[in-house]
Amino acid sequence: MQMAWKEVKKSKMKFLILGSIIFLVSFLTFIISGLANGLSEDNAALIKNVPNGQFYLNEDAKQTYNLSKIDVDQQDKLLADYNGATAMSIQMGFVNDTEDKQHSVAFVTSTDSELFPNVKDNEVVLDASLKDEGIKVGDILTNNQFSGEFKVVGFTEKQTYSHAPVAFISMKNYQEIYRVMEMQTVFIPGSDSPDSIKGLESFNNKEFLNTIPSYGAEQMSLNMIIWFLVVISGMLFAIFFYMMNVQKIGLYGILKAIGVKTISLFSMMWYQMLLITAVSLVLSVGLSQVFSMVAPAGMPFSLPLETSLLLSGVFLVIGFIGATISGFQIKKVEPLQAIQQGEM
Amino acid sequence: MAIFTIDDVEKTFKSGDVSEKILKGVDLALNEGEITALVGPSGSGKSTILTIAAGLQKATGGQVLFEGKDMTQMSQEEIRKIRSSEFGFVFQSSHLVPFLTVEDQLLLMLDVAETKLNKKQQKQEVSKVLDLVGMSHRKDAYPSSLSGGEKQRVAIARAIIHQPKMLFADEPTASLDSKRSKEVMEIIRNLTKTLKITTLMVTHDEEMLPYADRIVMMKDGLIE
């Protein structure tokens, strides 16, 4: 350990460069992870806030909730048979405020449920983000598909869907706007092993998120970038330590000649890897948390500390693997070869 | 009395279908506290026999007995333990660790040799040995700031700090000028005599031979 630390102290610039690269890559990973989380929240907070359970869609809907229609009789039976079951629908739309300014929303309606606000006819409960657009309790909103008016009766926190704030309305109002009697899905909470229901297909919460158009593609792209960066950082470790080890082959040979154990040389490399990674990660976690606090309000950014710590763990494991792979050269070093190489 | 015996040692190098016998049955006994100089023309096998004796490579045949134990039958780990605690090495180049100070180079060797000294005793030992090689004033210096002669003195100090029974020196003065070579050889001789270290040295420099107790001539893989 001491020898490893002494090398870091003596060759500050070399380790500073590696540390800076790890810091930048990990910081970028945290920021993209924050954006991925933020976009995911923005896209599907409505569903993510629902407790675990099963969403049932019509089998003919081809796993797309937009196309799903649950037969009214079947819906009534399900609601009667399953405690806490909720039928619901979501459709994109818009409302006009008193100044006739248009606001995109996701209209959500449901049967009586503890999961969503209970809204009376001609009333609307909006996601709080619409407050920033000047809407307040008591305002009257309109929609050109709706004959009446919506009175804003309250706001709810973090209820967004498909990057739009949610507008909870009554089932009667929803049916008028979209000219449908059937709901799109029935949610049954808490069932880990879904009951097979004739004509319906079940999805757990995670699977249901993927039925949201664009959600899967968006998350897949961002997650690919994140894991790509994690793999790149592992490769950086492997390459950097490989280069360092190549430079130190002679030294390792001499150390082996005088009796230093191979495991001690590996430990030296691991200690250096851990030190550089830990310092870089502490800095990038700290800075990304600061960024999370000062990020512009409109930017979908969410980076819980647990996510940062989880990714940090992955970085440490990847760094360890990268450094260890490059360290196989140490095992192969022959003392004699090093002695014959001359001065290091 | 022989502390180290090389008995009918052979070494054959193979490269593809071609094999070349470098050592053809070398016999050599080293007496305790004696400096033995191995001399001979290039390719005679003197460096090969030194590295086999030092446990740095395996013989193809024969025995290498250190204190009566056959090193050719030992595992790599057993040989490593002997190298770290019982042997000392001085090479043509000093091979110091570039990021350790002079003092740290010696402390490292004490750690590697697993001596039972505590930190304070280790520092005292380092100070004593640096005095012996005349390098006390440079104990905080890094190798990059030392002259060739100074580096070699530190290498000698590192080789003997753990009080080994054997010292293997492969052309220890080859990279030094005549004056510094003599200084280094004086140090090796004084230390090995004081500490009763048995020394096997390879050299091609005839000026160094007066420092040896015994001169062994090698030619064509055999001792003449």
Side-chain angles (χ1 to χ4, degrees), chain A residues 219-324:
Chain A
Q219 286 300 304
M220 198 187 288
S221 306
L222 290 165
N223 283 329
M224 211 183 85
I225 295 172
I226 291 167
W227 291 112
F228 196 62
L229 287 170
V230 168
V231 171
I232 283 180
S233 68
M235 287 164 71
L236 276 173
F237 266 110
I239 294 166
F240 187 85
F241 277 98
Y242 177 83
M243 304 282 278
M244 271 205 330
N245 289 338
V246 166
Q247 285 176 345
K248 292 198 291 189
I249 291 258
L251 171 65
Y252 289 143
I254 295 302
L255 290 174
K256 277 188 172 183
I258 64 172
V260 176
K261 293 176 187 168
T262 304
I263 189 71
S264 304
L265 300 177
F266 266 92
S267 303
M268 182 177 156
M269 188 182 67
W270 287 329
Y271 174 84
Q272 290 171 342
M273 186 286 293
L274 277 174
L275 183 73
I276 299 164
T277 316
V279 172
S280 306
L281 287 174
V282 165
L283 286 175
S284 53
V285 167
L287 200 61
S288 56
Q289 290 299 315
V290 170
F291 182 82
S292 174
M293 285 185 259
V294 300
M299 179 186 275
F301 189 88
S302 166
L303 186 61
L305 192 60
E306 301 84 64
T307 308
S308 303
L309 294 177
L310 180 75
L311 277 171
S312 300
V314 173
F315 268 107
L316 283 170
V317 171
I318 287 278
F320 178 80
I321 294 169
T324 306

